[in-house]
């Protein structure tokens, strides 16, 4: 009713959700692999907050965040803007590093919606602009090797255990 959105958390064994304080106007939340943290975009920043309770911490600037993913080693790959490459943060407080490069031969202008694969070193991402209404999807690596195309889809795929792409 206030016009301000928030993240809410409802344990599966409870009926009532609880508001997570410090998450005003969040966008595109994502979980840490251990379920202890929630990453999200708000106020032009990439933030994380403990799922149990606590204060949000700023990880990086992200003026128009377009997705993030967290591996089991604590590395976060994210799209800080609607256009441009993906970035990664290895440790809180570290400056973000570019982890993908736009391919001018494919006329790419943005990479979005990363999703780590089980090994924690490879991740899926979608490239913009869409071609004929479909997004080219690639597998990128943390070491910045040349990405591998896996196909073109109507939506951005997500990896789900035990081995599915949705």
């Amino acid at each position: 009713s206030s016009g301000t959105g928030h993240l809410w958390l409802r344990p599966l064994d409870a009926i009532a959700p609880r508001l997570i304080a410090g998450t005003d106007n969040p966008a595109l939340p994502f979980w840490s692999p251990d379920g202890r943290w929630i990453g999200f975009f708000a106020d032009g920043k990439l933030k994380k907050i403990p799922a149990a309770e606590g204060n949000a911490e700023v990880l990086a600037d992200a003026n128009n965040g377009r997705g993030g993913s967290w591996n089991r080693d604590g590395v976060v790959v994210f799209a800080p803007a609607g256009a441009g490459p993906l970035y990664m943060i290895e440790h809180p407080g570290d400056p973000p590093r570019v982890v993908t490069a736009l391919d001018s031969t494919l006329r790419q202008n943005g990479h979005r919606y990363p999703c780590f694969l089980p090994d924690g070193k490879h991740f899926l991402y979608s490239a913009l602009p869409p071609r004929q209404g479909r997004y080219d999807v690639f597998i990128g690596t943390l070491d910045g090797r040349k990405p591998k195309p896996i196909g073109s889809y109507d939506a951005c795929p997500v990896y789900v255990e035990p081995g599915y792409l949705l």
Side-chain angles (χ1 to χ4, degrees):
S1 64
S2 70
T4 301
H6 295 88
L7 292 178
W8 292 75
L9 186 63
R10 185 181 68 83
L12 294 176
D13 62 354
I15 293 175
R18 76 169 167 83
L19 181 138
I20 302 176
T23 61
D24 294 355
N25 296 313
L28 301 167
F30 56 98
W31 287 96
S32 66
D34 62 9
R36 294 178 45 220
W37 295 89
I38 302 169
F40 64 99
F41 298 91
D43 306 319
K45 307 287 183 192
L46 169 63
K47 299 179 178 186
K48 72 174 188 174
I49 193 162
E53 282 191 39
N55 295 321
E57 299 175 37
V58 172
L59 296 176
D61 289 335
N63 65 347
N64 191 10
R66 290 292 180 247
S69 187
W70 215 316
N71 77 6
R72 64 184 172 269
D73 297 323
V75 175
V76 175
V77 171
F78 69 104
L86 296 176
Y87 287 75
M88 66 181 271
I89 296 175
E90 290 187 76
H91 307 287
D94 286 354
R97 289 188 305 133
V98 173
V99 70
T100 63
L102 301 177
D103 187 335
S104 61
T105 65
L106 297 175
R107 298 190 176 140
Q108 293 177 353
N109 61 20
H111 294 159
R112 293 182 175 184
Y113 307 113
C115 180
F116 270 107
L117 295 170
D119 70 357
K121 294 177 177 32
H122 295 85
F123 53 89
L124 301 170
Y125 67 91
S126 298
L128 293 176
R131 294 192 284 174
Q132 299 173 356
R134 297 170 67 90
Y135 298 91
D136 291 336
V137 176
F138 295 85
I139 296 176
T141 63
L142 291 178
D143 62 12
R145 281 190 248 155
K146 184 175 178 169
K148 294 180 182 174
I150 64 165
S152 184
Y153 304 96
D154 294 333
C156 304
V158 176
Y159 176 83
V160 178
E161 291 289 351
Y164 298 100
L165 285 182
L166 305 179

